[in-house]
Amino acid sequence: MSEIRNIVILTGAGISAESGLNTFRGPGGLWEGHRVEDICTPEALARNRELVLDFYDQRRAALGTVHPNPAHEALARLDREWRGDLLIVTQNVDDLHERAGAKRLLHMHGELMSALCEQCGHRAGYGGSMLDGTLCGACGTADALRPDIVFFGEMPYEMDRIDTALAQADLFVSIGTSGAVYPAAGFVRSARYHGARTLELNLEPSAGSYDFDERRMGPASVLVPAWVDEILLAQAGG
Ligand code: APR
């Protein structure tokens, strides 16, 4: 444990499940009543803008009714106390990591609480409805704001920064993700290729479970605090 200095953590919808936010590939495979591919694509936005903007308006509003759970809080504690490098890469678009206090954080799929202007590309924090014709704060264009969410077929954010962190990682930890969507699903192999140890904390085996050196199955609210205690104890032990 003492040789671990640089940690990369990948989180998915499973870390927010115990806060009450639905995961994407639950039992019915339908997410909030939609096929994910039918609501999270540029084509869906072009075909039925109002439906997509309303869908994300509702998800943005729902954030006010949920709170970080012990898994988010444990990662925020790790962020405060880990003396080495740390990068939390989340696939989630909720703001629960931030609200728990995480700072060394990157949203590779964008954020519900951010708007993207389709006219000028400006991204800015945003908490309201996108159906009310709000003007872009940078270029002033009306009705040009869309959810700052990376749709299927679009390029995730900050991949260079993620690749650099994976190349330098001594430990890669995956929490609450099914391993169904690339490039995130390939991070474990990239980390291993560069010599990192790999750990999966998940409710059930994922598509990539066999790529991990170690797998712990259970709820994130139990596994993550226990793991953070363990790694910080090892850091204290030197
Ligand atoms: N604790 C830990 N893991 C959990 C919990 C829990 N309480 N509840 C569910 N899980 C696990 C499930 O077993 C599953 O492996 O979380 C994972 C959730 O998988 P998905 O619903 O596929 O979510 P995710 O992996 O984040 O999806 C990746 O797909 O639709 C796109 O952009 C979207 O970011 C998303 C990406």
Side-chain angles (χ1 to χ4, degrees):
M1 233 8 151
S2 56
E3 72 284 359
I4 293 171
R5 179 173 152 39
N6 303 337
I7 302 177
V8 174
I9 296 174
L10 173 68
T11 67
I15 200 171
S16 297
E18 291 165 271
S19 293
L21 292 179
N22 289 339
T23 60
F24 293 92
R25 292 166 189 84
L30 282 185
W31 173 50
E32 319 279 1
H34 298 277
R35 274 176 13 92
V36 171
E37 293 73 10
D38 291 345
I39 196 90
C40 295
T41 64
E43 296 75 17
L45 184 65
R47 187 172 59 240
N48 198 334
R49 185 178 181 81
E50 198 154 314
L51 171 83
V52 174
L53 294 188
D54 181 56
F55 177 75
Y56 282 97
D57 277 0
Q58 289 179 47
R59 290 188 65 207
R60 189 173 308 107
L63 284 184
T65 65
V66 296
H67 306 285
N69 67 55
H72 297 105
E73 286 156 3
L75 292 189
R77 176 184 168 219
L78 180 70
D79 197 337
R80 289 191 297 275
E81 300 180 19
W82 184 252
R83 293 193 294 270
D85 288 346
L86 171 70
L87 182 61
I88 301 170
V89 180
T90 187
Q91 299 173 93
N92 300 338
V93 294
D94 64 56
D95 59 351
L96 295 176
H97 280 302
E98 292 87 336
R99 286 163 55 190
K103 305 281 185 224
R104 294 183 272 184
L105 174 68
L106 183 162
H107 281 270
M108 66 178 289
H109 289 167
E111 301 173 65
L112 275 173
M113 298 302 283
S114 174
L116 170 65
C117 175
E118 293 191 280
Q119 184 65 32
C120 72
H122 181 65
R123 296 171 65 198
Y126 190 84
S129 162
M130 291 185 185
L131 284 167
D132 60 7
T134 303
L135 306 182
C136 167
C139 70
T141 308
D143 287 327
L145 297 186
R146 60 163 268 189
D148 185 13
I149 302 278
V150 176
F151 287 151
F152 278 94
E154 295 179 329
M155 195 59 193
Y157 286 131
E158 301 198 64
M159 282 306 297
D160 290 345
R161 185 175 163 207
I162 295 170
D163 290 340
T164 302
L166 290 170
Q168 295 165 351
D170 304 307
L171 176 61
F172 174 75
V173 185
S174 177
I175 303 172
T177 182
S178 61
V181 174
Y182 284 81
F187 289 173
V188 57
R189 287 201 201 127
S190 174
R192 281 183 73 113
Y193 175 79
H194 291 289
R197 288 189 52 237
T198 55
L199 168 64
E200 180 179 52
L201 306 178
N202 211 54
L203 191 64
E204 59 205 355
S206 69
S209 286
Y210 290 104
D211 289 320
F212 288 86
D213 299 312
E214 184 188 353
R215 297 171 286 279
R216 298 180 192 175
M217 298 289 119
S221 65
V222 172
L223 294 181
V224 179
W227 171 71
V228 168
D229 287 346
E230 193 181 296
I231 193 94
L232 288 178
L233 208 58
Q235 176 178 256

